[in-house]
Amino acid sequence: MENKIVKVGLIGLGTVGGGTLEVLAKNSEVIAKRAVKIEVSRICNLDLAYTEQRIKELGLEGTTTATTNFRDLIDDPEIDIVIELIGGIHPALEMVSAALAAGKSVVTANKDLVASHGAELFELADNNGVDFFFEASVAGGIPILKALKDSLAANNIVEIMGIVNGTTNYILSQMTSNGADFEPCLKRAQELGYAEANPTNDIEGFDAARKMAILASIAYNSNITEDMVYVEGITNITKFDIAYADQLGYAVKLVGLAKPAPGDENSIAVCVYPLMIAKEHPLASVNDVFNAVFVEGDALGQSMFYGRGAGSLPTASAVAGDVITAAKKIINNTRGVSGIRFFENKKVLPITECINKYYIRLMVQDKPKVLAQIADAFATSDISMDSVIQKRVTDSGLAEIVLITHSVKEANLQEALERLQHLACVDCVASMIRVNGD
Ligand code: HSE
């Protein structure tokens, strides 16, 4: 067993692919001593000259060859594991499917692929007796999927709350510490390379929704795809709301939630939206680009997994960890035996059925009886107030009212907001942010 070498094919040599090659090469000795010798024997990447240059720089000329054709990896009988790090759905889906069908275990960081085609790929892996691992697809370097799948397998999961997008956490942290608007903070995130030129996936919450689909699928043994996740991003969050939240004892975070529906064992809530979190909650102090996943299990109680959710080496750490697990299973002849099983078929609750407290900011006329009309609009939808504050009067003579409701079904809240928007004394409903807690 000590002399066995497990050969690996790597598809993609971008940020994460480059980091993975580096980690596997630089830490090869300790990996071999802990587990098994792993050799990246072929790399498929469109830029052949760059691939050859990296092979040379890492001293891998004797063992590693470059190609631009992924079939060279699939058709190589010596390769037992394929690492897919090109991202996106196509052609990654075709490449991963071909590798699994050819009897190779697959490791990927591709959240888009797992959140949309996970179930069919798990089945393909099962049918071919191989493994399909994707730890790096959620929260980068944080080992949350293995923890959920294995270490917490004895628990019923009471709740998962995650800050799983570093870009939006950076933007909201900057808005909070500098009292700045959204746009300049987004621009700074782009300058620092956190946000892409087209930041839609991050700031609209889609990236977080894919990660929550994967987390919820594992935690609740059901095939939850990204299109089932309710999503709101952070583009409507203003510096005024962040300042009020701060005064009221809360931090605003883009949070992904997955939890069972109260009183309905067949349903779960899976959502991504900005959330006001009490400053005492562990997630409230997760700042900048850091990620954290807060998990409550019925046996474990509360715990939080914290770390870097993106970046070359942190993400490579998770990919390489999966490669080592897959390699150990190959030499121990145990591959394909611990797949993910969707033995339940949980329904996802519509957002209108979810229950929350709500922060509302209204711009109203500064006249008598206005508060009474607003109170009546909420009371008609059975909504009770936790706190009401009349804040500044703007240059245009409008008064700003900030209020927090008690817990209520979102359908009732939407009904009340609709009613408020039609009141003559209400100029606009400037903001609505959900508030964590009962
Ligand atoms: N764009 C993601 C983030 C990293 O900002 O966290 C990749 O999932």
Side-chain angles (χ1 to χ4, degrees), residues 111 164-167 202 207 211 309-310:
K111 57 193 167 291
V164 290
N165 183 269
T167 304
D202 289 324
D207 174 79
K211 293 165 180 169

Side-chain angles (χ1 to χ4, degrees), residues 203-249:
I203 63 176
E204 298 294 357
F206 304 139
D207 174 79
R210 287 167 196 148
K211 293 165 180 169
M212 289 314 298
I214 297 170
L215 285 171
S217 297
I218 295 174
Y220 298 107
N221 321 300
S222 302
N223 182 17
I224 309 296
T225 48
E226 62 170 287
D227 52 305
M228 296 158 81
V229 182
Y230 177 81
V231 194
E232 276 176 31
I234 63 165
T235 52
N236 292 329
I237 301 292
T238 68
K239 61 182 177 189
F240 304 115
D241 299 309
I242 289 188
Y244 287 138
D246 185 61
Q247 285 171 33
L248 292 161

